[in-house]
Coordinates of all heavy atoms in Angstrom, one line a residue:
S123 N -13.7 -2.8 12.9 CA -13.3 -4.2 13.2 C -12.1 -4.6 12.4 O -11.6 -5.7 12.7 CB -14.5 -5.1 12.9 OG -14.9 -5.0 11.6
Y124 N -11.7 -3.8 11.4 CA -10.5 -4.2 10.7 C -9.2 -3.7 11.4 O -8.1 -3.9 10.9 CB -10.5 -3.7 9.3 CG -10.6 -2.2 9.1 CD1 -9.6 -1.4 9.4 CD2 -11.8 -1.6 8.8 CE1 -9.7 0.0 9.3 CE2 -12.0 -0.2 8.7 CZ -10.9 0.6 8.9 OH -11.0 1.9 8.8
A125 N -9.4 -3.0 12.6 CA -8.3 -2.5 13.3 C -7.3 -3.5 13.7 O -6.1 -3.3 13.7 CB -8.7 -1.7 14.5
Y126 N -7.8 -4.7 14.1 CA -6.9 -5.8 14.5 C -6.0 -6.3 13.3 O -4.8 -6.7 13.5 CB -7.6 -6.9 15.1 CG -8.4 -7.8 14.1 CD1 -7.8 -9.0 13.6 CD2 -9.6 -7.5 13.6 CE1 -8.5 -9.8 12.7 CE2 -10.3 -8.3 12.7 CZ -9.7 -9.4 12.3 OH -10.4 -10.2 11.4
L127 N -6.5 -6.2 12.1 CA -5.7 -6.6 10.9 C -4.7 -5.6 10.7 O -3.5 -5.9 10.3 CB -6.6 -6.8 9.7 CG -7.6 -7.9 9.7 CD1 -8.6 -7.9 8.5 CD2 -6.9 -9.3 9.7
M128 N -4.9 -4.3 10.9 CA -3.9 -3.3 10.7 C -2.9 -3.3 11.8 O -1.7 -3.1 11.6 CB -4.6 -1.9 10.6 CG -5.6 -1.8 9.5 SD -6.2 -0.1 9.2 CE -4.8 0.6 8.5
D129 N -3.4 -3.5 13.1 CA -2.4 -3.6 14.2 C -1.5 -4.8 14.0 O -0.3 -4.7 14.4 CB -3.2 -3.8 15.5 CG -4.0 -2.5 15.9 OD1 -3.7 -1.5 15.3 OD2 -5.0 -2.6 16.7
S130 N -1.9 -5.9 13.4 CA -1.0 -7.0 13.2 C -0.3 -6.9 11.9 O 0.4 -7.9 11.5 CB -1.9 -8.3 13.2 OG -2.8 -8.3 12.1
K131 N -0.4 -5.8 11.2 CA 0.3 -5.5 9.9 C -0.1 -6.5 8.8 O 0.6 -6.7 7.8 CB 1.8 -5.6 10.1 CG 2.4 -4.7 11.1 CD 2.2 -3.2 10.8 CE 2.8 -2.3 11.8 NZ 2.5 -0.8 11.4
T132 N -1.3 -7.1 9.0 CA -1.9 -7.9 7.9 C -2.3 -7.0 6.8 O -2.2 -7.3 5.6 CB -3.1 -8.7 8.4 OG1 -2.6 -9.6 9.4 CG2 -3.6 -9.6 7.3
I133 N -2.8 -5.8 7.1 CA -3.2 -4.8 6.1 C -2.4 -3.5 6.4 O -2.3 -3.1 7.6 CB -4.7 -4.4 6.2 CG1 -5.6 -5.7 6.0 CG2 -5.1 -3.3 5.2 CD1 -7.0 -5.4 6.2
E134 N -1.9 -2.9 5.4 CA -1.2 -1.6 5.5 C -1.9 -0.7 4.5 O -2.0 -1.0 3.3 CB 0.3 -1.7 5.2 CG 1.1 -2.3 6.3 CD 2.6 -2.2 6.1 OE1 3.0 -1.6 5.0 OE2 3.4 -2.7 6.9
V135 N -2.3 0.5 5.0 CA -2.9 1.5 4.1 C -2.0 2.8 4.2 O -1.9 3.3 5.3 CB -4.4 1.8 4.6 CG1 -5.0 2.9 3.7 CG2 -5.2 0.6 4.5
E136 N -1.5 3.2 3.1 CA -0.5 4.3 3.2 C -0.4 5.0 1.8 O -0.8 4.4 0.8 CB 0.9 3.8 3.6 CG 1.4 2.7 2.7 CD 2.7 2.1 3.3 OE1 2.8 2.1 4.6 OE2 3.6 1.7 2.5
P137 N 0.0 6.2 1.8 CA 0.1 7.0 0.6 C 1.2 6.4 -0.3 O 2.2 5.8 0.2 CB 0.4 8.4 1.0 CG 1.0 8.3 2.4 CD 0.4 7.1 3.0
L138 N 1.1 6.6 -1.6 CA 2.1 6.1 -2.5 C 3.5 6.6 -2.3 O 4.4 5.9 -2.7 CB 1.6 6.4 -4.0 CG 2.3 5.5 -5.1 CD1 1.9 4.1 -4.9 CD2 1.8 6.0 -6.4
T139 N 3.6 7.8 -1.8 CA 5.0 8.3 -1.5 C 5.8 7.4 -0.7 O 7.0 7.2 -0.8 CB 4.8 9.7 -0.8 OG1 4.1 10.5 -1.6 CG2 6.2 10.3 -0.6
Y140 N 5.2 6.7 0.3 CA 5.9 5.7 1.2 C 6.2 4.4 0.5 O 7.0 3.6 1.0 CB 5.1 5.5 2.4 CG 4.8 6.7 3.3 CD1 3.8 6.7 4.2 CD2 5.5 7.9 3.1 CE1 3.5 7.9 5.0 CE2 5.3 9.0 3.8 CZ 4.2 9.0 4.8 OH 4.0 10.1 5.5
I141 N 5.6 4.1 -0.6 CA 5.8 2.9 -1.3 C 7.1 3.0 -2.1 O 7.9 2.0 -2.2 CB 4.7 2.5 -2.3 CG1 3.4 2.3 -1.5 CG2 5.0 1.3 -3.2 CD1 3.4 1.1 -0.7
R142 N 7.4 4.1 -2.7 CA 8.6 4.3 -3.6 C 9.8 4.2 -2.7 O 9.9 4.6 -1.6 CB 8.5 5.7 -4.2 CG 7.3 5.9 -5.1 CD 7.4 7.2 -5.8 NE 6.2 7.5 -6.6 CZ 5.2 8.3 -6.2 NH1 5.4 9.0 -5.1 NH2 4.2 8.5 -7.0
G143 N 10.8 3.5 -3.3 CA 12.1 3.3 -2.6 C 12.1 2.0 -1.8 O 13.2 1.6 -1.3
R144 N 11.0 1.3 -1.6 CA 11.0 0.1 -0.9 C 11.1 -1.1 -1.8 O 10.9 -1.0 -3.0 CB 9.7 0.0 -0.1 CG 9.5 1.0 1.0 CD 8.1 1.0 1.6 NE 7.6 -0.4 1.9 CZ 6.4 -0.7 2.4 NH1 5.5 0.3 2.5 NH2 6.1 -1.9 2.7
S145 N 11.4 -2.2 -1.2 CA 11.4 -3.5 -1.8 C 10.2 -4.3 -1.3 O 10.1 -4.4 0.0 CB 12.7 -4.3 -1.7 OG 12.6 -5.6 -2.3
I146 N 9.3 -4.8 -2.1 CA 8.0 -5.3 -1.6 C 7.9 -6.8 -2.0 O 7.4 -7.1 -3.1 CB 6.8 -4.5 -2.2 CG1 7.0 -3.0 -1.9 CG2 5.5 -5.0 -1.6 CD1 6.0 -2.1 -2.4
P147 N 8.5 -7.7 -1.3 CA 8.4 -9.1 -1.6 C 7.1 -9.8 -1.0 O 6.7 -9.4 0.1 CB 9.6 -9.7 -1.0 CG 9.9 -8.9 0.2 CD 9.3 -7.5 -0.1
K148 N 6.6 -10.8 -1.7 CA 5.5 -11.6 -1.2 C 4.3 -10.8 -0.6 O 3.8 -11.1 0.5 CB 6.1 -12.6 -0.2 CG 5.3 -13.8 0.1 CD 5.3 -14.8 -1.1 CE 4.5 -16.1 -0.7 NZ 4.4 -17.0 -1.9
Q149 N 3.9 -9.8 -1.3 CA 2.8 -9.0 -0.8 C 1.8 -8.8 -1.9 O 2.1 -8.9 -3.1 CB 3.3 -7.6 -0.3 CG 4.3 -7.8 0.8 CD 4.8 -6.4 1.3 OE1 4.2 -5.4 1.1 NE2 6.0 -6.5 1.9
F150 N 0.5 -8.5 -1.5 CA -0.6 -8.2 -2.4 C -0.7 -6.6 -2.4 O -1.2 -6.1 -1.4 CB -1.8 -8.8 -1.9 CG -2.9 -8.9 -3.0 CD1 -3.2 -10.1 -3.6 CD2 -3.7 -7.8 -3.3 CE1 -4.2 -10.2 -4.6 CE2 -4.7 -7.9 -4.3 CZ -4.9 -9.1 -4.9
L151 N -0.2 -6.0 -3.5 CA -0.2 -4.5 -3.5 C -1.2 -4.0 -4.4 O -1.3 -4.3 -5.6 CB 1.2 -4.1 -4.0 CG 1.4 -2.6 -4.3 CD1 1.2 -1.7 -3.1 CD2 2.8 -2.3 -4.9
I152 N -2.1 -3.1 -3.9 CA -3.1 -2.4 -4.6 C -2.8 -1.0 -4.7 O -2.6 -0.3 -3.7 CB -4.5 -2.6 -4.0 CG1 -4.9 -4.1 -3.9 CG2 -5.6 -1.9 -4.8 CD1 -6.2 -4.4 -3.1
V153 N -2.7 -0.4 -5.9 CA -2.5 1.0 -6.1 C -3.8 1.6 -6.7 O -4.2 1.3 -7.9 CB -1.3 1.3 -7.1 CG1 -1.2 2.8 -7.2 CG2 -0.1 0.7 -6.5
D154 N -4.6 2.3 -5.9 CA -5.8 2.9 -6.3 C -5.6 4.2 -7.0 O -4.6 4.9 -6.7 CB -6.8 3.0 -5.1 CG -8.2 3.2 -5.5 OD1 -8.6 2.8 -6.6 OD2 -9.0 3.8 -4.7
E155 N -6.6 4.7 -7.8 CA -6.5 6.0 -8.5 C -5.2 6.1 -9.3 O -4.5 7.1 -9.4 CB -6.5 7.1 -7.5 CG -7.8 7.1 -6.6 CD -9.1 7.4 -7.4 OE1 -8.9 7.9 -8.6 OE2 -10.2 7.2 -6.9
A156 N -4.8 5.0 -10.0 CA -3.5 4.9 -10.7 C -3.6 5.8 -12.0 O -2.5 6.0 -12.6 CB -3.2 3.5 -11.1
Q157 N -4.7 6.3 -12.3 CA -4.8 7.2 -13.5 C -4.1 8.5 -13.2 O -3.9 9.3 -14.2 CB -6.3 7.4 -13.9 CG -7.0 8.4 -13.1 CD -7.6 7.8 -11.8 OE1 -7.4 6.7 -11.5 NE2 -8.3 8.7 -11.0
N158 N -3.9 8.8 -12.0 CA -3.2 10.1 -11.6 C -1.7 10.0 -11.7 O -1.0 11.0 -11.3 CB -3.7 10.6 -10.3 CG -5.1 11.2 -10.3 OD1 -5.4 11.9 -11.2 ND2 -5.9 10.8 -9.3
L159 N -1.1 8.8 -12.0 CA 0.3 8.6 -12.1 C 0.8 8.8 -13.5 O 0.1 8.6 -14.4 CB 0.7 7.2 -11.6 CG 0.2 6.8 -10.1 CD1 0.6 5.4 -9.9 CD2 0.9 7.8 -9.1
T160 N 2.1 9.2 -13.6 CA 2.7 9.3 -14.9 C 3.3 7.9 -15.2 O 3.4 7.1 -14.3 CB 3.8 10.3 -14.9 OG1 4.9 9.8 -14.0 CG2 3.4 11.7 -14.4
P161 N 3.6 7.6 -16.5 CA 4.2 6.3 -16.8 C 5.5 6.1 -16.0 O 5.8 5.0 -15.6 CB 4.4 6.4 -18.3 CG 3.4 7.3 -18.8 CD 3.2 8.4 -17.7
H162 N 6.3 7.1 -15.8 CA 7.5 7.0 -15.1 C 7.2 6.6 -13.6 O 7.9 5.8 -13.0 CB 8.3 8.3 -15.1 CG 9.6 8.2 -14.5 ND1 10.7 7.5 -15.0 CD2 10.1 8.7 -13.3 CE1 11.8 7.6 -14.3 NE2 11.4 8.3 -13.2

């Protein structure tokens, strides 16, 4: 039932690789499993 939220781009679920390089204004960004990232 959350498909309509994803179809309307209210929710985006994607791997972190696609986040890098973007500019993300006015968004609520959750990075899960952040313990697997380096400080850089």
Side-chain angles (χ1 to χ4, degrees):
S123 59
Y124 59 77
Y126 75 97
L127 292 173
M128 300 189 70
D129 292 341
S130 63
K131 301 298 182 181
T132 302
I133 303 175
E134 286 187 4
V135 179
E136 55 189 33
L138 194 63
T139 302
Y140 299 161
I141 297 292
R142 301 185 183 103
R144 292 171 49 185
S145 180
I146 307 176
K148 201 67 177 177
Q149 297 178 25
F150 197 104
L151 171 62
I152 301 172
V153 179
D154 196 25
E155 303 292 345
Q157 79 277 359
N158 285 319
L159 300 176
T160 68
H162 185 72

